[in-house]
Amino acid sequence: MLLWGRALRGLWRAVPGGSPVPGGSPGRPLRTATPLSSDIFRDLGSGLQRLGQTLKDQVPDLGGGLGGWTPLGAPLGPRPPEEADVVVVGGGVVGWSVAYWLKVLEGQRHGMKVLVVERDPTYSQASTVLSVGGIRQQFSLPENIRMSRFSASFLRNINEHLRVPNEPPIDIQFQPSGYLFLAPPEGAARLEATVQLQREEGVQVALLSPTQLKAKFPWIDTEDVAVASYGLQDEGWFDPWTLLNAFRHKATSLGVQSCSGEVRGFVTSAEDMMPPWEMAPATARIRYVHIHMPDSLEYQPVACAIVINAAGAWAGELLKAKGLPGELCQPPLPIQPRKRYVFSWHCPDGPGFSCPLLVDTTGAYFRRDGIAGNYLGGMSPPEEEEPDPGDLSVDHDFFQEQVWPRLARRVPAFESLHPRGAWAGYYDHNTFDCNGVLGPHPKLENLFLAAGFSGHGLQHAPAAGRAVAELVVKGKYESLDLRRLGWGRLVEGEPLEEDGVV
């Protein structure tokens, strides 16, 4: 009211010849009213502008909202709806891929109501945008190879899938430089067998002897290399941020809703099925998800028919949330956040434009970053030396002591490299077998999983999203048979081996 009072007094003073109300100040003559003129309306507009500016100056700018600001205490971004047919928990590239494919397979503009929930709307800690953006066909598990082939075709024709009408074409800045895997003598037979499997699946890959390797990449020291495999097609790297935004933008144009918030609780049918002294239910359905608002104590219960767990590194934690019956969540989902560093350096005498994404015999990897002598790389630490995933701080000594010596051993020019910077990101690490978990939960009837890819979620997102959407809409896999990646192997204790974990 104080602001309004000051503004209105200013407006009154601005009206020439204005008449005070009857009973004005004693001793002052009443002035007669004058006809309204254009000056009055101009002054009125000027006063309102001053009022608006005063309000904006005194209320913090929180982004969004009306006029670029949001009143104090109001939630950031759109609030969740009261109900949705499908709630996708996790707004990374996998979650948005699922949402996109749900609408594509449904085939109705205003049919299925899909909601994507993302707790980090800035994506400052998202695995998707903090990755090095690689895609490869060189896996040892047939399902992973087939997902890579599907995704490569999708990315090659991305504008046929994700371009929004009347908007510019999508350019994911794909660099087709291939992956190069090096094997020591004790790993040569295994790599050769893997290449044979890849070729049977239609992958274009070459086996190189040390002599051939040196001839093609003269900057490599081949002393302890017995054989190498080099991808000839559909391998390289691209911009993860562009792909994520392309999925988001297209899915939104198809009617998918989104909100910022964190799913911290559920309500299931187990709560009202039977008295507590009788036998516990064998299965249950999720009836509501509780979405907590950012920077608020509020939460919104959202009634839903289907829930997709695409929460990435926190997919395992999600199944420990309040309201889920513990006995129905066994065995636990073995997905944990693992922190991985990506280091950047400059080396003008390095491999140059011919540099692929090289995976060394030691596990260290690197690739070219642009064409100005810059490179990216890193390596996974031993299991017993895993860094604390509590934050995304970088241990620069890890590069100096562990990564750099391996790089310089393989590429002598890297002995004189100049470190430029580094960042850390999360792997949604599946401690069971380092492969994704896809499909329905065995005891929570309307919960589907799409997580645990252990570093290759970005490149498999188009295929994994389609597969899960097929299960929801069609009731079965149609494009790819990914049943072996389901929850059953966790229950039976039968891991799937994958040699190509980087």
Side-chain angles (χ1 to χ4, degrees), residues 379-400:
M379 64 177 289
S380 296
E383 184 74 21
E384 64 275 8
E385 298 178 13
E386 282 288 345
D388 182 4
D391 59 47
L392 288 180
S393 60
V394 175
D395 180 4
H396 293 276
D397 290 338
F398 184 75
F399 180 76
Q400 297 286 337

Side-chain angles (χ1 to χ4, degrees), residues 138-154:
Q138 296 182 70
F139 288 91
S140 66
L141 193 69
E143 286 82 356
N144 286 335
I145 298 172
R146 293 164 192 167
M147 283 196 289
S148 286
R149 286 178 56 75
F150 180 98
S151 294
S153 176
F154 181 92

Side-chain angles (χ1 to χ4, degrees), residues 204-335:
Q204 300 295 312
V205 58
L207 274 174
L208 303 176
S209 68
T211 301
Q212 293 170 320
L213 180 64
K214 188 70 174 179
K216 186 168 183 60
F217 303 108
W219 40 267
I220 292 180
D221 186 326
T222 62
E223 181 179 348
D224 61 339
V225 177
V227 67
S229 63
Y230 179 53
L232 303 176
Q233 183 177 328
D234 294 335
E235 292 194 340
W237 54 89
F238 59 91
D239 179 28
W241 180 243
T242 299
L243 179 61
L244 171 62
N245 277 293
F247 267 121
R248 289 174 63 198
H249 195 33
K250 182 64 175 183
T252 301
S253 75
L254 295 175
V256 174
Q257 295 179 273
S258 65
C259 70
S260 300
E262 183 177 1
V263 175
R264 298 182 189 170
F266 298 87
V267 176
T268 73
S269 60
E271 295 188 6
D272 53 11
M273 290 180 65
M274 59 189 64
W277 57 84
E278 295 191 21
M279 184 179 298
T283 62
R285 294 183 62 84
I286 296 173
R287 296 165 52 196
Y288 293 87
V289 297
H290 288 175
I291 303 176
H292 285 249
M293 303 294 100
D295 302 319
S296 172
L297 298 178
E298 294 183 82
Y299 73 85
Q300 171 69 49
V302 179
C304 57
I306 300 289
V307 177
I308 311 293
N309 181 354
W314 291 270
E317 290 297 317
L318 183 66
L319 292 190
K320 300 176 184 178
K322 180 180 178 181
L324 292 180
E327 65 275 10
L328 298 184
C329 294
Q330 298 300 320
L333 185 60
I335 297 174

Side-chain angles (χ1 to χ4, degrees), residues 219 347-353 373 375 411 413-414:
W219 40 267
C347 184
D349 299 323
F353 191 74
Y375 301 86
V411 183
F414 282 163

